[in-house]
Amino acid sequence: MIMREGFLPFLMKSLSRWATPGWRCNAMVSLAYHALCLSRVREKVALSNMGIAFPDKGIPWKKELLRKHYKHLALSLGEYLILLRHPTRIAAYMKPENQAYSILDTLRDNKKGAVILTAHLGNWEMLAAWLAFQGYPMHAIVRRHENVKVEAFVEKARKTVGLHTISKSENMLKVLRILKKGAFVGILGDQYAGSEGISLPFFGRSTSCYFGAAALAIMAKVPLVPVISWRKAPFSHSVRICPPLFLPSEETAEKTEQTEEDNSSREKKIATLTNEGNRFLEKWIREHPEQWLWLHRRYH
């Protein structure tokens, strides 16, 4: 079996079959947590990011936050492995605040597309699964796993709840087309973008930021809706759906020809909207700092 599937896919399948809420999941989470603490995974990167985001905090506070973050990652792993085996349980794990999802209901019912802006906060895989399970036409832009068998295993679980994925390397014209047909496209907008991004402040320091969420919303003439989730307890998450950051006006929707001046204006709008999205991300991270992915190098 291992030789046929490869070790990592076999391990993931085995753990997902073995993991169930209760002592089994608790044991697996505890093992993962202690392994992260002992190995101090990407500690320097995490503490550096924390120093920029929370310059007034000392090293002991940051190390305690990192310890809580390791616990969050271990819990997220346990939840995700159970979700791989029982995708439809997502409805019991995620609860929206005050029926806020009516914003998305209206867009779906009117066959209007939307760009969903979110972050590596809470359990983002579960958030995507919940949105799809609610019946929204969700397409998530993802980075494909290098191991094709692991990718096939994860992709199968995503499809079980109705979640479609689009590779980051996909031609964006395809994404624009499906948005205009009424699809929802989810984008994680909080990572370092390198040469693909634009320089904007994130927690007060300029860094390369992905602008795809803003660009797609403006170019496809669809709303940009911030959505976030966070864990209140193991297997219990809240979902917050915020008012759109961008709503296309009738004048914008009717305009079809683009001049050089129009393009320059659009680029400024994209930068402004991306910057506004960054402010939302910062706010969410400050509210639940232990649940943001500090381990990615955000500044270069």
Side-chain angles (χ1 to χ4, degrees):
M1 177 69 75
I2 296 178
M3 291 296 291
R4 185 170 71 248
E5 293 191 353
F7 175 72
L8 190 54
F10 176 80
L11 178 64
M12 290 182 68
K13 286 186 178 181
S14 298
L15 286 174
S16 68
R17 292 191 187 107
W18 185 78
T20 55
W23 72 268
R24 287 185 174 184
C25 184
N26 292 340
M28 185 171 59
V29 168
S30 179
L31 181 62
Y33 167 65
H34 284 95
L36 287 168
C37 288
L38 287 172
S39 60
R40 299 192 299 182
V41 174
R42 298 184 73 82
E43 181 183 54
K44 289 183 179 179
V45 172
L47 294 178
S48 176
N49 288 333
M50 291 174 186
I52 294 169
F54 301 102
D56 58 327
K57 301 295 185 181
I59 292 296
W61 183 90
K62 294 169 191 170
K63 287 193 173 182
E64 175 63 12
L65 177 59
L66 181 58
R67 184 191 66 78
K68 292 178 180 177
H69 181 56
Y70 285 154
K71 184 62 176 290
H72 162 69
L73 291 178
L75 280 168
S76 295
L77 174 64
E79 292 169 336
Y80 182 59
L81 287 173
I82 290 172
L83 186 65
L84 288 176
R85 185 180 178 189
H86 304 288
T88 56
R89 290 187 181 182
I90 191 64
Y93 297 160
M94 313 287 287
K95 299 297 181 183
E97 292 184 331
N98 302 323
Q99 302 296 313
Y101 56 91
S102 61
I103 299 169
L104 299 183
D105 284 350
T106 300
L107 291 170
R108 178 196 58 199
D109 295 345
N110 291 316
K111 293 183 169 50
K112 301 292 185 181
V115 175
I116 307 297
L117 174 65
T118 190
H120 291 87
L121 183 72
N123 196 323
W124 56 91
E125 283 282 353
M126 288 176 65
L127 174 60
W130 178 82
L131 287 166
F133 192 70
Q134 289 297 115
Y136 301 124
M138 279 300 303
H139 295 69
I141 295 182
V142 301
R143 187 187 300 277
R144 300 295 184 195
H145 200 285
E146 292 179 359
N147 186 313
V148 293
K149 292 180 179 178
V150 170
E151 177 63 28
F153 177 58
V154 173
E155 188 69 6
K156 181 179 178 181
R158 287 168 171 162
K159 287 181 178 178
T160 301
V161 293
L163 177 64
H164 305 280
T165 59
I166 303 169
S167 173
K168 291 185 73 172
S169 61
E170 188 71 60
N171 189 317
M172 286 300 103
L173 289 176
K174 175 182 176 180
V175 184
L176 286 172
R177 284 195 294 269
I178 66 172
L179 279 168
K180 291 178 179 179
K181 290 179 179 178
F184 290 4
V185 173
I187 296 179
L188 294 155
D190 56 340
Q191 289 186 313
Y192 179 74
S195 60
E196 299 176 18
I198 55 176
S199 183
L200 290 170
F202 194 72
F203 282 110
R205 179 177 294 189
S206 291
T207 187
S208 181
C209 301
Y210 283 110
F211 58 89
L216 286 169
I218 290 171
M219 295 173 69
K221 304 178 181 64
V222 299
L224 175 61
V225 184
V227 180
I228 204 71
S229 70
W230 65 94
R231 181 186 298 104
K232 297 188 296 182
F235 302 98
S236 178
H237 296 247
S238 281
V239 179
R240 182 180 300 169
I241 300 169
C242 302
L245 295 180
F246 171 78
L247 280 171
S249 65
E250 291 183 7
E251 180 183 356
T252 302
E254 290 173 357
K255 197 169 187 178
T256 56
E257 295 183 2
Q258 289 289 325
T259 66
E260 185 175 341
E261 183 177 351
D262 292 330
N263 288 330
S264 176
S265 175
R266 185 169 65 184
E267 288 174 4
K268 290 179 182 178
K269 288 179 181 177
I270 289 171
T272 300
L273 187 55
T274 302
N275 193 53
E276 190 175 349
N278 282 350
R279 303 293 79 76
F280 266 85
L281 300 181
E282 291 171 3
K283 178 178 183 294
W284 291 331
I285 293 165
R286 288 191 178 100
E287 287 183 4
H288 307 282
E290 77 286 354
Q291 296 190 37
W292 188 55
L293 190 61
W294 295 100
L295 309 187
H296 281 180
R297 191 178 297 278
R298 188 63 182 87
Y299 306 86
H300 284 255

